[in-house]
Amino acid sequence: MSALENRPVTVIGAGIGGLTAALALARRGAQVTVLERAPELGEVGAGIQISANAVRVLDALGLGTALDGAALRTDAVQLNDERGRRVLRMDLRAHRPEARFLLIHRARLIGLLADAARQAGVTIQLGVTAADADGLTIAADGLRSTYRAALNGQQVPFFTGQTAWRALIPDPGGAPVAQVFMAARRHLVSYPLPGGLRNIVAVEERPDWQDEGWSHPGDPDRLRAAFAGMGGPVPGWLAQVDHTHLWGLFRHPVAARWHDDRLALLGDAAHPTLPFLAQGAGMAIEDAWTLAACLHTIPDQPQALARYQALRQPRVTRIVDAANANARNYHFGGVMRIGAHSVLRVADRLAPSLMPGRFDWLYDFDPAEQIP
Ligand SMILES: Cc1cc2nc3c(=O)[nH]c(=O)nc-3n(C[C@H](O)[C@H](O)[C@H](O)COP(=O)(O)OP(=O)(O)OC[C@H]3O[C@@H](n4cnc5c(N)ncnc54)[C@H](O)[C@@H]3O)c2cc1C
């Protein structure tokens, strides 16, 4: 019998991490309540890439068919220079025919997770700001987690000097390719979404910004001015932006302490990351699997929580470090850029399978092989 059978668990936060954890725990027999301070479920209108490592977990939780109906499957990731000329194309289907890399609207993913969790018996309470909870508590309360601070003390995050703009535009029929356009001190990532939409994330080095958070409304003209001069399809996309949000990008250390005897951190609460590897939600989804599996197989709760941290911390630290390195690589200027782009172009022509292979450790991972 599962050590979680009929155990009450409170999950704080109904983001991607909290809802996946609630579903994973309920599938193992726990009685789960999710507390979410927002009055409604959902997120700022935007897309998200869910890579194969996280899709594997969602499949194992029974969401595969619903996901495939709600998402586009990515064919490739293409790096381009500032003028829109291809530098490198990584064909995801050729390198990993079985693995799915998905593009989905965030609100849709949250909706799928919430529906599945409720069907598995989870209670979701909206408009409730958790201060403390009885019994086993999973803090999936995001980037500004008060529970991380309670376990680790207040830490001052480090501003990277970069701000990110995010926008959605109409774009029916876009090929399912995640495109990156790299220039000195800025880059832009874009991919299509189901429903004839296109997601844009544009990152600019801007040392004056100081506020961390999600929902600062931005000025579309300021976005167009900041990315003027980029070629290819970029000017046409930016011309269509009529709403945008922007926020500062901060670096936080991975938390040293993820748990005490009755509380565990999960997702951004434990390891906020820069978005340059598109893995924040993926790591939260992996955490959810591992946490539920540890609590299911190890009856002693403190031991189970310690095992969860021991299994997860090395991997998320490697991922956060790789995302930090990408921030530098995309923004090379001058001679460094010419050199880096030439190497990538040669690799693209001579060994097209080489580059995707660099991330096998990331995308081929299955947390169920570590702990079923
Ligand atoms: C520009 C950008 C692009 C990104 N793109 C990708 C991508 O393509 N792929 C990817 O995998 N990741 C991506 N990410 C990262 C990803 O969005 C986050 O890592 C992920 O959403 C974190 O999920 P979470 O559940 O841990 O936290 P959150 O989504 O922040 O959820 C926390 C929830 O807790 C609630 N809450 C907080 N405090 C309390 C409280 N006291 N009581 C009750 N509720 C509370 C909040 O209201 C919120 O709903 C991106 C991030 C950014 C900024």
Side-chain angles (χ1 to χ4, degrees), residues 12-18 35-37 43 48-49 106 128-130 140-142 166 191 201 214 247 266-268 275 278-282:
I12 298 170
I16 294 169
L35 306 179
E36 167 56 52
R37 70 177 168 201
E43 292 211 29
I48 190 162
Q49 306 181 66
R106 279 170 183 265
V128 181
T129 300
D141 55 337
R166 202 149 71 166
Y191 47 83
V201 177
W214 279 82
W247 63 101
L266 182 141
D268 275 8
Q279 284 298 318

PDB file of all heavy atoms in Angstrom, residues 12-18 35-37 43 48-49 106 128-130 140-142 166 191 201 214 247 266-268 275 278-282, ligand 1:
ATOM      1  N   ILE A  12       0.512  24.671  -1.506  1.00  0.00           N
ATOM      2  CA  ILE A  12       0.319  26.130  -1.562  1.00  0.00           C
ATOM      3  C   ILE A  12       0.746  26.630  -2.933  1.00  0.00           C
ATOM      4  O   ILE A  12       1.918  26.523  -3.314  1.00  0.00           O
ATOM      5  CB  ILE A  12       1.119  26.815  -0.435  1.00  0.00           C
ATOM      6  CG1 ILE A  12       0.574  26.301   0.896  1.00  0.00           C
ATOM      7  CG2 ILE A  12       0.999  28.332  -0.542  1.00  0.00           C
ATOM      8  CD1 ILE A  12       1.401  26.687   2.069  1.00  0.00           C
ATOM      9  N   GLY A  13      -0.226  27.151  -3.675  1.00  0.00           N
ATOM     10  CA  GLY A  13       0.054  27.679  -5.007  1.00  0.00           C
ATOM     11  C   GLY A  13      -0.502  26.760  -6.085  1.00  0.00           C
ATOM     12  O   GLY A  13      -0.200  25.568  -6.108  1.00  0.00           O
ATOM     13  N   ALA A  14      -1.342  27.334  -6.960  1.00  0.00           N
ATOM     14  CA  ALA A  14      -1.920  26.557  -8.067  1.00  0.00           C
ATOM     15  C   ALA A  14      -1.297  26.983  -9.386  1.00  0.00           C
ATOM     16  O   ALA A  14      -1.984  27.213 -10.368  1.00  0.00           O
ATOM     17  CB  ALA A  14      -3.435  26.709  -8.093  1.00  0.00           C
ATOM     18  N   GLY A  15       0.029  27.099  -9.403  1.00  0.00           N
ATOM     19  CA  GLY A  15       0.754  27.269 -10.663  1.00  0.00           C
ATOM     20  C   GLY A  15       1.008  25.897 -11.274  1.00  0.00           C
ATOM     21  O   GLY A  15       0.451  24.871 -10.833  1.00  0.00           O
ATOM     22  N   ILE A  16       1.866  25.862 -12.273  1.00  0.00           N
ATOM     23  CA  ILE A  16       2.133  24.589 -12.960  1.00  0.00           C
ATOM     24  C   ILE A  16       2.739  23.582 -11.974  1.00  0.00           C
ATOM     25  O   ILE A  16       2.364  22.405 -11.963  1.00  0.00           O
ATOM     26  CB  ILE A  16       3.060  24.832 -14.171  1.00  0.00           C
ATOM     27  CG1 ILE A  16       2.325  25.684 -15.211  1.00  0.00           C
ATOM     28  CG2 ILE A  16       3.520  23.504 -14.788  1.00  0.00           C
ATOM     29  CD1 ILE A  16       3.208  26.215 -16.339  1.00  0.00           C
ATOM     30  N   GLY A  17       3.645  24.051 -11.103  1.00  0.00           N
ATOM     31  CA  GLY A  17       4.282  23.154 -10.141  1.00  0.00           C
ATOM     32  C   GLY A  17       3.292  22.623  -9.113  1.00  0.00           C
ATOM     33  O   GLY A  17       3.218  21.412  -8.867  1.00  0.00           O
ATOM     34  N   GLY A  18       2.523  23.512  -8.501  1.00  0.00           N
ATOM     35  CA  GLY A  18       1.588  23.115  -7.443  1.00  0.00           C
ATOM     36  C   GLY A  18       0.526  22.159  -7.962  1.00  0.00           C
ATOM     37  O   GLY A  18       0.202  21.148  -7.321  1.00  0.00           O
ATOM     38  N   LEU A  35      -4.239  25.481  -2.037  1.00  0.00           N
ATOM     39  CA  LEU A  35      -4.641  26.845  -1.668  1.00  0.00           C
ATOM     40  C   LEU A  35      -3.982  27.818  -2.636  1.00  0.00           C
ATOM     41  O   LEU A  35      -2.759  27.812  -2.790  1.00  0.00           O
ATOM     42  CB  LEU A  35      -4.189  27.175  -0.240  1.00  0.00           C
ATOM     43  CG  LEU A  35      -4.621  26.191   0.854  1.00  0.00           C
ATOM     44  CD1 LEU A  35      -4.078  26.641   2.212  1.00  0.00           C
ATOM     45  CD2 LEU A  35      -6.143  26.057   0.896  1.00  0.00           C
ATOM     46  N   GLU A  36      -4.781  28.648  -3.293  1.00  0.00           N
ATOM     47  CA  GLU A  36      -4.252  29.608  -4.272  1.00  0.00           C
ATOM     48  C   GLU A  36      -4.784  31.001  -3.919  1.00  0.00           C
ATOM     49  O   GLU A  36      -5.981  31.182  -3.765  1.00  0.00           O
ATOM     50  CB  GLU A  36      -4.677  29.217  -5.694  1.00  0.00           C
ATOM     51  CG  GLU A  36      -4.461  30.263  -6.765  1.00  0.00           C
ATOM     52  CD  GLU A  36      -3.015  30.771  -6.871  1.00  0.00           C
ATOM     53  OE1 GLU A  36      -2.093  29.951  -6.986  1.00  0.00           O
ATOM     54  OE2 GLU A  36      -2.824  32.017  -6.814  1.00  0.00           O
ATOM     55  N   ARG A  37      -3.876  31.960  -3.819  1.00  0.00           N
ATOM     56  CA  ARG A  37      -4.318  33.275  -3.367  1.00  0.00           C
ATOM     57  C   ARG A  37      -5.074  34.051  -4.450  1.00  0.00           C
ATOM     58  O   ARG A  37      -5.880  34.918  -4.133  1.00  0.00           O
ATOM     59  CB  ARG A  37      -3.133  34.089  -2.859  1.00  0.00           C
ATOM     60  CG  ARG A  37      -2.193  34.513  -3.941  1.00  0.00           C
ATOM     61  CD  ARG A  37      -1.080  35.374  -3.387  1.00  0.00           C
ATOM     62  NE  ARG A  37      -0.065  35.518  -4.405  1.00  0.00           N
ATOM     63  CZ  ARG A  37       1.185  35.848  -4.188  1.00  0.00           C
ATOM     64  NH1 ARG A  37       1.597  36.055  -2.965  1.00  0.00           N
ATOM     65  NH2 ARG A  37       2.024  35.959  -5.184  1.00  0.00           N
ATOM     66  N   GLU A  43      -3.002  32.506 -15.911  1.00  0.00           N
ATOM     67  CA  GLU A  43      -1.731  33.222 -15.928  1.00  0.00           C
ATOM     68  C   GLU A  43      -1.821  34.315 -16.949  1.00  0.00           C
ATOM     69  O   GLU A  43      -2.724  34.332 -17.780  1.00  0.00           O
ATOM     70  CB  GLU A  43      -0.608  32.276 -16.354  1.00  0.00           C
ATOM     71  CG  GLU A  43      -0.305  31.210 -15.348  1.00  0.00           C
ATOM     72  CD  GLU A  43       1.169  30.834 -15.394  1.00  0.00           C
ATOM     73  OE1 GLU A  43       1.991  31.698 -15.741  1.00  0.00           O
ATOM     74  OE2 GLU A  43       1.478  29.680 -15.090  1.00  0.00           O
ATOM     75  N   ILE A  48       4.137  28.629 -23.543  1.00  0.00           N
ATOM     76  CA  ILE A  48       5.220  27.963 -22.826  1.00  0.00           C
ATOM     77  C   ILE A  48       5.657  26.759 -23.646  1.00  0.00           C
ATOM     78  O   ILE A  48       4.848  26.140 -24.346  1.00  0.00           O
ATOM     79  CB  ILE A  48       4.758  27.560 -21.400  1.00  0.00           C
ATOM     80  CG1 ILE A  48       5.934  27.106 -20.565  1.00  0.00           C
ATOM     81  CG2 ILE A  48       3.669  26.513 -21.432  1.00  0.00           C
ATOM     82  CD1 ILE A  48       5.639  27.129 -19.081  1.00  0.00           C
ATOM     83  N   GLN A  49       6.964  26.478 -23.587  1.00  0.00           N
ATOM     84  CA  GLN A  49       7.499  25.272 -24.220  1.00  0.00           C
ATOM     85  C   GLN A  49       7.642  24.210 -23.145  1.00  0.00           C
ATOM     86  O   GLN A  49       8.255  24.477 -22.109  1.00  0.00           O
ATOM     87  CB  GLN A  49       8.882  25.547 -24.812  1.00  0.00           C
ATOM     88  CG  GLN A  49       8.943  26.708 -25.760  1.00  0.00           C
ATOM     89  CD  GLN A  49      10.353  26.891 -26.317  1.00  0.00           C
ATOM     90  OE1 GLN A  49      10.852  26.059 -27.048  1.00  0.00           O
ATOM     91  NE2 GLN A  49      10.989  27.992 -25.948  1.00  0.00           N
ATOM     92  N   ARG A 106      -0.228  28.885 -21.736  1.00  0.00           N
ATOM     93  CA  ARG A 106      -0.112  28.587 -20.300  1.00  0.00           C
ATOM     94  C   ARG A 106      -1.464  28.346 -19.631  1.00  0.00           C
ATOM     95  O   ARG A 106      -1.609  27.437 -18.817  1.00  0.00           O
ATOM     96  CB  ARG A 106       0.536  29.764 -19.572  1.00  0.00           C
ATOM     97  CG  ARG A 106       2.001  29.784 -19.682  1.00  0.00           C
ATOM     98  CD  ARG A 106       2.511  31.105 -19.157  1.00  0.00           C
ATOM     99  NE  ARG A 106       3.928  31.140 -19.336  1.00  0.00           N
ATOM    100  CZ  ARG A 106       4.811  30.803 -18.398  1.00  0.00           C
ATOM    101  NH1 ARG A 106       4.429  30.454 -17.204  1.00  0.00           N
ATOM    102  NH2 ARG A 106       6.091  30.827 -18.662  1.00  0.00           N
ATOM    103  N   VAL A 128      -7.381  32.196  -1.425  1.00  0.00           N
ATOM    104  CA  VAL A 128      -6.910  31.903  -0.057  1.00  0.00           C
ATOM    105  C   VAL A 128      -5.396  32.092  -0.009  1.00  0.00           C
ATOM    106  O   VAL A 128      -4.654  31.383  -0.700  1.00  0.00           O
ATOM    107  CB  VAL A 128      -7.214  30.441   0.349  1.00  0.00           C
ATOM    108  CG1 VAL A 128      -6.739  30.175   1.768  1.00  0.00           C
ATOM    109  CG2 VAL A 128      -8.690  30.135   0.195  1.00  0.00           C
ATOM    110  N   THR A 129      -4.939  33.067   0.773  1.00  0.00           N
ATOM    111  CA  THR A 129      -3.503  33.251   0.949  1.00  0.00           C
ATOM    112  C   THR A 129      -3.066  32.436   2.148  1.00  0.00           C
ATOM    113  O   THR A 129      -3.491  32.698   3.271  1.00  0.00           O
ATOM    114  CB  THR A 129      -3.158  34.738   1.175  1.00  0.00           C
ATOM    115  OG1 THR A 129      -3.601  35.452   0.032  1.00  0.00           O
ATOM    116  CG2 THR A 129      -1.666  34.949   1.361  1.00  0.00           C
ATOM    117  N   ALA A 130      -2.247  31.425   1.889  1.00  0.00           N
ATOM    118  CA  ALA A 130      -1.836  30.538   2.976  1.00  0.00           C
ATOM    119  C   ALA A 130      -0.778  31.229   3.823  1.00  0.00           C
ATOM    120  O   ALA A 130       0.151  31.820   3.286  1.00  0.00           O
ATOM    121  CB  ALA A 130      -1.277  29.247   2.396  1.00  0.00           C
ATOM    122  N   ALA A 140       4.555  25.495  -3.187  1.00  0.00           N
ATOM    123  CA  ALA A 140       4.816  25.742  -4.621  1.00  0.00           C
ATOM    124  C   ALA A 140       4.383  27.179  -4.896  1.00  0.00           C
ATOM    125  O   ALA A 140       3.589  27.452  -5.781  1.00  0.00           O
ATOM    126  CB  ALA A 140       4.040  24.746  -5.466  1.00  0.00           C
ATOM    127  N   ASP A 141       4.901  28.094  -4.052  1.00  0.00           N
ATOM    128  CA  ASP A 141       4.413  29.474  -4.067  1.00  0.00           C
ATOM    129  C   ASP A 141       5.307  30.398  -4.901  1.00  0.00           C
ATOM    130  O   ASP A 141       5.268  31.612  -4.747  1.00  0.00           O
ATOM    131  CB  ASP A 141       4.203  30.011  -2.638  1.00  0.00           C
ATOM    132  CG  ASP A 141       5.437  29.896  -1.754  1.00  0.00           C
ATOM    133  OD1 ASP A 141       6.297  29.041  -2.045  1.00  0.00           O
ATOM    134  OD2 ASP A 141       5.556  30.664  -0.784  1.00  0.00           O
ATOM    135  N   GLY A 142       6.099  29.811  -5.792  1.00  0.00           N
ATOM    136  CA  GLY A 142       6.719  30.604  -6.852  1.00  0.00           C
ATOM    137  C   GLY A 142       7.972  31.363  -6.457  1.00  0.00           C
ATOM    138  O   GLY A 142       8.540  31.211  -5.374  1.00  0.00           O
ATOM    139  N   ARG A 166       7.156  40.249 -23.183  1.00  0.00           N
ATOM    140  CA  ARG A 166       6.403  39.088 -23.641  1.00  0.00           C
ATOM    141  C   ARG A 166       5.146  39.568 -24.353  1.00  0.00           C
ATOM    142  O   ARG A 166       4.484  40.495 -23.886  1.00  0.00           O
ATOM    143  CB  ARG A 166       6.040  38.229 -22.443  1.00  0.00           C
ATOM    144  CG  ARG A 166       5.749  36.831 -22.816  1.00  0.00           C
ATOM    145  CD  ARG A 166       6.123  35.896 -21.718  1.00  0.00           C
ATOM    146  NE  ARG A 166       5.219  36.006 -20.581  1.00  0.00           N
ATOM    147  CZ  ARG A 166       5.175  35.119 -19.619  1.00  0.00           C
ATOM    148  NH1 ARG A 166       5.986  34.099 -19.627  1.00  0.00           N
ATOM    149  NH2 ARG A 166       4.356  35.255 -18.621  1.00  0.00           N
ATOM    150  N   TYR A 191       7.625  31.394 -31.107  1.00  0.00           N
ATOM    151  CA  TYR A 191       7.094  30.122 -31.606  1.00  0.00           C
ATOM    152  C   TYR A 191       5.579  30.236 -31.716  1.00  0.00           C
ATOM    153  O   TYR A 191       4.947  31.050 -31.037  1.00  0.00           O
ATOM    154  CB  TYR A 191       7.486  28.949 -30.697  1.00  0.00           C
ATOM    155  CG  TYR A 191       7.287  29.176 -29.223  1.00  0.00           C
ATOM    156  CD1 TYR A 191       6.054  28.987 -28.622  1.00  0.00           C
ATOM    157  CD2 TYR A 191       8.346  29.589 -28.431  1.00  0.00           C
ATOM    158  CE1 TYR A 191       5.885  29.197 -27.267  1.00  0.00           C
ATOM    159  CE2 TYR A 191       8.186  29.812 -27.070  1.00  0.00           C
ATOM    160  CZ  TYR A 191       6.957  29.613 -26.494  1.00  0.00           C
ATOM    161  OH  TYR A 191       6.777  29.829 -25.160  1.00  0.00           O
ATOM    162  N   VAL A 201       9.025  36.282 -26.889  1.00  0.00           N
ATOM    163  CA  VAL A 201       9.768  36.705 -25.693  1.00  0.00           C
ATOM    164  C   VAL A 201      11.008  37.425 -26.198  1.00  0.00           C
ATOM    165  O   VAL A 201      11.802  36.846 -26.952  1.00  0.00           O
ATOM    166  CB  VAL A 201      10.190  35.509 -24.809  1.00  0.00           C
ATOM    167  CG1 VAL A 201      11.011  35.993 -23.621  1.00  0.00           C
ATOM    168  CG2 VAL A 201       8.975  34.737 -24.321  1.00  0.00           C
ATOM    169  N   TRP A 214       6.057  39.741 -12.599  1.00  0.00           N
ATOM    170  CA  TRP A 214       5.485  39.257 -13.838  1.00  0.00           C
ATOM    171  C   TRP A 214       4.782  40.312 -14.661  1.00  0.00           C
ATOM    172  O   TRP A 214       4.896  40.337 -15.860  1.00  0.00           O
ATOM    173  CB  TRP A 214       4.459  38.166 -13.501  1.00  0.00           C
ATOM    174  CG  TRP A 214       5.121  36.880 -13.265  1.00  0.00           C
ATOM    175  CD1 TRP A 214       5.719  36.465 -12.115  1.00  0.00           C
ATOM    176  CD2 TRP A 214       5.296  35.844 -14.222  1.00  0.00           C
ATOM    177  NE1 TRP A 214       6.243  35.228 -12.306  1.00  0.00           N
ATOM    178  CE2 TRP A 214       5.993  34.811 -13.581  1.00  0.00           C
ATOM    179  CE3 TRP A 214       4.915  35.675 -15.549  1.00  0.00           C
ATOM    180  CZ2 TRP A 214       6.323  33.635 -14.227  1.00  0.00           C
ATOM    181  CZ3 TRP A 214       5.244  34.505 -16.180  1.00  0.00           C
ATOM    182  CH2 TRP A 214       5.938  33.503 -15.520  1.00  0.00           C
ATOM    183  N   TRP A 247       9.378  42.399 -17.567  1.00  0.00           N
ATOM    184  CA  TRP A 247       9.841  42.218 -16.201  1.00  0.00           C
ATOM    185  C   TRP A 247      11.350  42.039 -16.174  1.00  0.00           C
ATOM    186  O   TRP A 247      11.954  41.670 -17.179  1.00  0.00           O
ATOM    187  CB  TRP A 247       9.122  41.055 -15.516  1.00  0.00           C
ATOM    188  CG  TRP A 247       9.345  39.714 -16.120  1.00  0.00           C
ATOM    189  CD1 TRP A 247      10.177  38.755 -15.672  1.00  0.00           C
ATOM    190  CD2 TRP A 247       8.711  39.192 -17.290  1.00  0.00           C
ATOM    191  NE1 TRP A 247      10.112  37.659 -16.493  1.00  0.00           N
ATOM    192  CE2 TRP A 247       9.219  37.906 -17.490  1.00  0.00           C
ATOM    193  CE3 TRP A 247       7.757  39.691 -18.185  1.00  0.00           C
ATOM    194  CZ2 TRP A 247       8.819  37.112 -18.547  1.00  0.00           C
ATOM    195  CZ3 TRP A 247       7.363  38.892 -19.236  1.00  0.00           C
ATOM    196  CH2 TRP A 247       7.879  37.623 -19.399  1.00  0.00           C
ATOM    197  N   LEU A 266       8.899  23.392  -3.763  1.00  0.00           N
ATOM    198  CA  LEU A 266       8.814  22.757  -5.090  1.00  0.00           C
ATOM    199  C   LEU A 266       8.750  23.836  -6.170  1.00  0.00           C
ATOM    200  O   LEU A 266       8.142  24.889  -5.982  1.00  0.00           O
ATOM    201  CB  LEU A 266       7.555  21.879  -5.116  1.00  0.00           C
ATOM    202  CG  LEU A 266       7.290  21.074  -6.382  1.00  0.00           C
ATOM    203  CD1 LEU A 266       6.746  19.675  -6.023  1.00  0.00           C
ATOM    204  CD2 LEU A 266       6.298  21.771  -7.298  1.00  0.00           C
ATOM    205  N   GLY A 267       9.383  23.575  -7.296  1.00  0.00           N
ATOM    206  CA  GLY A 267       9.317  24.505  -8.439  1.00  0.00           C
ATOM    207  C   GLY A 267      10.125  25.772  -8.187  1.00  0.00           C
ATOM    208  O   GLY A 267      11.177  25.745  -7.528  1.00  0.00           O
ATOM    209  N   ASP A 268       9.624  26.895  -8.726  1.00  0.00           N
ATOM    210  CA  ASP A 268      10.345  28.163  -8.589  1.00  0.00           C
ATOM    211  C   ASP A 268      10.633  28.506  -7.127  1.00  0.00           C
ATOM    212  O   ASP A 268      11.596  29.221  -6.840  1.00  0.00           O
ATOM    213  CB  ASP A 268       9.528  29.311  -9.197  1.00  0.00           C
ATOM    214  CG  ASP A 268       9.750  29.455 -10.700  1.00  0.00           C
ATOM    215  OD1 ASP A 268      10.401  28.587 -11.298  1.00  0.00           O
ATOM    216  OD2 ASP A 268       9.256  30.457 -11.271  1.00  0.00           O
ATOM    217  N   PRO A 275      14.920  32.309 -17.952  1.00  0.00           N
ATOM    218  CA  PRO A 275      14.108  31.546 -18.912  1.00  0.00           C
ATOM    219  C   PRO A 275      14.872  31.043 -20.130  1.00  0.00           C
ATOM    220  O   PRO A 275      14.255  30.562 -21.069  1.00  0.00           O
ATOM    221  CB  PRO A 275      13.029  32.561 -19.321  1.00  0.00           C
ATOM    222  CG  PRO A 275      13.629  33.898 -19.107  1.00  0.00           C
ATOM    223  CD  PRO A 275      14.607  33.750 -17.977  1.00  0.00           C
ATOM    224  N   ALA A 278      14.244  27.447 -21.177  1.00  0.00           N
ATOM    225  CA  ALA A 278      12.815  27.065 -21.157  1.00  0.00           C
ATOM    226  C   ALA A 278      12.586  25.833 -20.271  1.00  0.00           C
ATOM    227  O   ALA A 278      11.985  24.850 -20.697  1.00  0.00           O
ATOM    228  CB  ALA A 278      12.308  26.830 -22.582  1.00  0.00           C
ATOM    229  N   GLN A 279      13.089  25.890 -19.027  1.00  0.00           N
ATOM    230  CA  GLN A 279      13.006  24.713 -18.155  1.00  0.00           C
ATOM    231  C   GLN A 279      12.371  24.965 -16.794  1.00  0.00           C
ATOM    232  O   GLN A 279      12.297  24.039 -15.984  1.00  0.00           O
ATOM    233  CB  GLN A 279      14.409  24.123 -17.932  1.00  0.00           C
ATOM    234  CG  GLN A 279      14.929  23.353 -19.121  1.00  0.00           C
ATOM    235  CD  GLN A 279      14.074  22.149 -19.454  1.00  0.00           C
ATOM    236  OE1 GLN A 279      13.628  21.427 -18.579  1.00  0.00           O
ATOM    237  NE2 GLN A 279      13.796  21.954 -20.736  1.00  0.00           N
ATOM    238  N   GLY A 280      11.928  26.192 -16.516  1.00  0.00           N
ATOM    239  CA  GLY A 280      11.383  26.461 -15.172  1.00  0.00           C
ATOM    240  C   GLY A 280      10.198  25.563 -14.858  1.00  0.00           C
ATOM    241  O   GLY A 280      10.159  24.894 -13.811  1.00  0.00           O
ATOM    242  N   ALA A 281       9.227  25.545 -15.749  1.00  0.00           N
ATOM    243  CA  ALA A 281       8.049  24.707 -15.516  1.00  0.00           C
ATOM    244  C   ALA A 281       8.426  23.228 -15.625  1.00  0.00           C
ATOM    245  O   ALA A 281       7.914  22.393 -14.872  1.00  0.00           O
ATOM    246  CB  ALA A 281       6.957  25.053 -16.522  1.00  0.00           C
ATOM    247  N   GLY A 282       9.349  22.919 -16.544  1.00  0.00           N
ATOM    248  CA  GLY A 282       9.784  21.525 -16.700  1.00  0.00           C
ATOM    249  C   GLY A 282      10.383  20.981 -15.407  1.00  0.00           C
ATOM    250  O   GLY A 282      10.078  19.860 -14.990  1.00  0.00           O
TER     251      GLY A 282
HETATM  252  C1  LIG B   1       9.564  34.833 -19.924  1.00  0.00           C
HETATM  253  C2  LIG B   1       9.459  33.468 -19.336  1.00  0.00           C
HETATM  254  C3  LIG B   1       9.327  32.411 -20.201  1.00  0.00           C
HETATM  255  C4  LIG B   1       9.298  31.121 -19.693  1.00  0.00           C
HETATM  256  N1  LIG B   1       9.186  30.087 -20.564  1.00  0.00           N
HETATM  257  C5  LIG B   1       9.217  28.832 -20.082  1.00  0.00           C
HETATM  258  C6  LIG B   1       9.146  27.725 -20.975  1.00  0.00           C
HETATM  259  O1  LIG B   1       9.031  27.898 -22.202  1.00  0.00           O
HETATM  260  N2  LIG B   1       9.196  26.459 -20.442  1.00  0.00           N
HETATM  261  C7  LIG B   1       9.299  26.250 -19.106  1.00  0.00           C
HETATM  262  O2  LIG B   1       9.359  25.083 -18.673  1.00  0.00           O
HETATM  263  N3  LIG B   1       9.337  27.279 -18.226  1.00  0.00           N
HETATM  264  C8  LIG B   1       9.291  28.559 -18.677  1.00  0.00           C
HETATM  265  N4  LIG B   1       9.322  29.598 -17.808  1.00  0.00           N
HETATM  266  C9  LIG B   1       9.388  29.345 -16.340  1.00  0.00           C
HETATM  267  C10 LIG B   1       8.033  28.967 -15.757  1.00  0.00           C
HETATM  268  O3  LIG B   1       7.045  29.884 -16.141  1.00  0.00           O
HETATM  269  C11 LIG B   1       8.115  28.914 -14.227  1.00  0.00           C
HETATM  270  O4  LIG B   1       9.299  28.288 -13.835  1.00  0.00           O
HETATM  271  C12 LIG B   1       6.922  28.110 -13.668  1.00  0.00           C
HETATM  272  O5  LIG B   1       5.722  28.733 -14.033  1.00  0.00           O
HETATM  273  C13 LIG B   1       7.030  27.998 -12.150  1.00  0.00           C
HETATM  274  O6  LIG B   1       5.893  27.351 -11.673  1.00  0.00           O
HETATM  275  P1  LIG B   1       5.580  27.321 -10.114  1.00  0.00           P
HETATM  276  O7  LIG B   1       4.320  26.544  -9.993  1.00  0.00           O
HETATM  277  O8  LIG B   1       6.773  26.893  -9.352  1.00  0.00           O
HETATM  278  O9  LIG B   1       5.344  28.850  -9.699  1.00  0.00           O
HETATM  279  P2  LIG B   1       4.255  29.897 -10.174  1.00  0.00           P
HETATM  280  O10 LIG B   1       3.766  29.606 -11.538  1.00  0.00           O
HETATM  281  O11 LIG B   1       4.808  31.243  -9.905  1.00  0.00           O
HETATM  282  O12 LIG B   1       3.019  29.645  -9.188  1.00  0.00           O
HETATM  283  C14 LIG B   1       3.017  30.052  -7.848  1.00  0.00           C
HETATM  284  C15 LIG B   1       1.569  30.214  -7.414  1.00  0.00           C
HETATM  285  O13 LIG B   1       1.513  30.367  -6.001  1.00  0.00           O
HETATM  286  C16 LIG B   1       0.564  31.352  -5.676  1.00  0.00           C
HETATM  287  N5  LIG B   1       0.918  31.832  -4.334  1.00  0.00           N
HETATM  288  C17 LIG B   1       2.045  32.487  -3.956  1.00  0.00           C
HETATM  289  N6  LIG B   1       2.047  32.705  -2.631  1.00  0.00           N
HETATM  290  C18 LIG B   1       0.899  32.159  -2.152  1.00  0.00           C
HETATM  291  C19 LIG B   1       0.334  32.038  -0.842  1.00  0.00           C
HETATM  292  N7  LIG B   1       0.943  32.511   0.260  1.00  0.00           N
HETATM  293  N8  LIG B   1      -0.871  31.417  -0.704  1.00  0.00           N
HETATM  294  C20 LIG B   1      -1.510  30.908  -1.793  1.00  0.00           C
HETATM  295  N9  LIG B   1      -1.017  31.001  -3.051  1.00  0.00           N
HETATM  296  C21 LIG B   1       0.176  31.598  -3.230  1.00  0.00           C
HETATM  297  C22 LIG B   1       0.706  32.363  -6.808  1.00  0.00           C
HETATM  298  O14 LIG B   1      -0.453  33.171  -6.929  1.00  0.00           O
HETATM  299  C23 LIG B   1       0.906  31.455  -8.018  1.00  0.00           C
HETATM  300  O15 LIG B   1      -0.316  31.079  -8.604  1.00  0.00           O
HETATM  301  C24 LIG B   1       9.355  30.905 -18.287  1.00  0.00           C
HETATM  302  C25 LIG B   1       9.433  31.986 -17.417  1.00  0.00           C
HETATM  303  C26 LIG B   1       9.490  33.252 -17.923  1.00  0.00           C
HETATM  304  C27 LIG B   1       9.599  34.406 -16.972  1.00  0.00           C
END
